[in-house]
Amino acid sequence: MKKTIALWAALTAVALLMTGCASEDPTAAPAPRTPAAGEARPSAGDGAGGSVPDKAPAAPGAAAAAAYRKWGLKPFAPPPAPPATKPVVRRPGGPVPVISDVPTTEKIVFITIDDGAEKDPEFVTMMKDLKVPVTMFLTDAAIRADYAYFAPLVAQGHGLANHTLTHPDLRTLSREAQRREICGQQTKLTQRYGTAPRLFRPPYGNWNEDTRAAAGTCGVDAIVLWRESMQIKNMQYQRGDRKLRPGDIILAHFRGPSELKGRTMTEMTATMLRRIQEQGFTVARLEDYV
């Protein structure tokens, strides 16, 4: 009986070896196999024939963080959703509103950039990378040498707004002369960029009731002033507490090293964005509120 059992066990072992269901050494690692189509292949250093795991997907916002690091900045918090009803509206037949800020309790501010004399290509790249909304109040006398410079900024979704044809002190002009300055720039910008401006800023912030009436005949929805202006390294405030408040409109200019004591447009912009962040604010799109 014992001989029969021993013979049966020996035959079973031989069969298993022939079919590959058992290895000669139970502790040996399994032989490597050829990966199936679409399966990750092993690379040198994997050891034991294991495959390289897929790279983990980038964390949400990683691309934005990298873009901001390029400019020495940290990403802004996303702005809140725009209000269902804009807080600044021109009533039908009513006068054009004149604003320096937007009524809101959200910790948001709005960036506006005037004139258009400086045309730094790095600024276009910066705005594309950061996706911080700005509104450009352009003067024809400043931009006519290179209208094309502003086209990619408009294509990125930045606001296009009116800052007159020749940048005069409007208070020194008649109502009709003011109308020519404002309506003339409305026409120029519409023809050049395919969108009609809705917002207007008088040069130097100087306006009177003739300005308001003239702007109203040109299709303007609001006259936009400001609460703070960005200088070379610091903000200039209108209020004594020297602090941003919700809804403030910030003024900057298209300026280059000759006006910024050697600093570039992108350096000035980066400093402005830091000043905004330091006070716990983020940037929203002005046209969503006016």
Side-chain angles (χ1 to χ4, degrees), residues 15-255:
L16 290 171
L17 284 170
M18 291 179 66
T19 59
C21 294
S23 66
E24 295 179 358
D25 179 359
T27 63
R33 65 182 181 84
T34 302
E39 187 176 350
R41 292 181 175 273
S43 65
D46 288 342
S51 62
V52 179
D54 291 338
K55 184 178 180 181
Y68 274 79
R69 280 196 302 271
K70 172 182 173 182
W71 300 100
L73 297 166
K74 296 179 181 179
F76 276 96
T85 302
K86 293 182 178 182
V88 179
V89 178
R90 182 186 178 190
R91 305 296 178 191
V96 176
V98 181
I99 61 170
S100 299
D101 50 47
V102 171
T104 181
T105 58
E106 303 280 1
K107 291 202 75 174
I108 56 174
V109 294
F110 307 95
I111 295 175
T112 62
I113 309 179
D114 278 13
D115 301 340
E118 176 67 10
K119 301 170 184 67
D120 183 352
E122 284 296 297
F123 179 73
V124 178
T125 302
M126 183 186 208
M127 291 294 98
K128 182 179 179 181
D129 288 346
L130 301 186
K131 297 178 173 56
V132 174
V134 303
T135 299
M136 304 177 292
F137 286 85
L138 301 179
T139 297
D140 189 65
I143 69 172
R144 67 172 60 137
D146 188 2
Y147 288 119
Y149 171 82
F150 300 93
L153 291 167
V154 174
Q156 289 171 19
H158 299 294
L160 180 70
N162 187 330
H163 198 40
T164 72
L165 286 170
T166 65
H167 207 274
D169 180 348
L170 292 176
R171 292 183 304 188
T172 68
L173 303 181
S174 67
R175 180 179 297 188
E176 178 56 26
Q178 292 193 45
R179 192 194 68 78
R180 288 195 296 269
E181 281 283 342
I182 300 168
C183 291
Q185 183 65 340
Q186 288 286 101
T187 300
K188 289 259 189 183
L189 293 174
T190 303
Q191 290 174 343
R192 290 288 175 180
Y193 303 108
T195 181
R198 296 177 40 251
L199 307 179
F200 168 69
R201 172 170 286 153
Y204 318 106
N206 292 343
W207 65 281
N208 55 25
E209 287 303 319
D210 282 340
T211 312
R212 211 173 185 182
T217 67
C218 300
V220 169
D221 290 334
I223 293 174
V224 180
L225 305 179
W226 61 90
R227 285 294 184 184
E228 294 83 25
S229 62
M230 183 62 200
Q231 304 304 309
I232 297 173
K233 294 183 180 180
N234 291 298
M235 295 273 197
Q236 187 177 80
Y237 297 85
Q238 293 180 359
R239 303 185 187 98
D241 61 5
R242 296 178 57 80
K243 291 181 179 179
L244 296 172
R245 295 185 187 178
D248 275 3
I249 296 169
I250 300 171
L251 165 66
H253 290 83
F254 284 94
R255 289 176 175 163

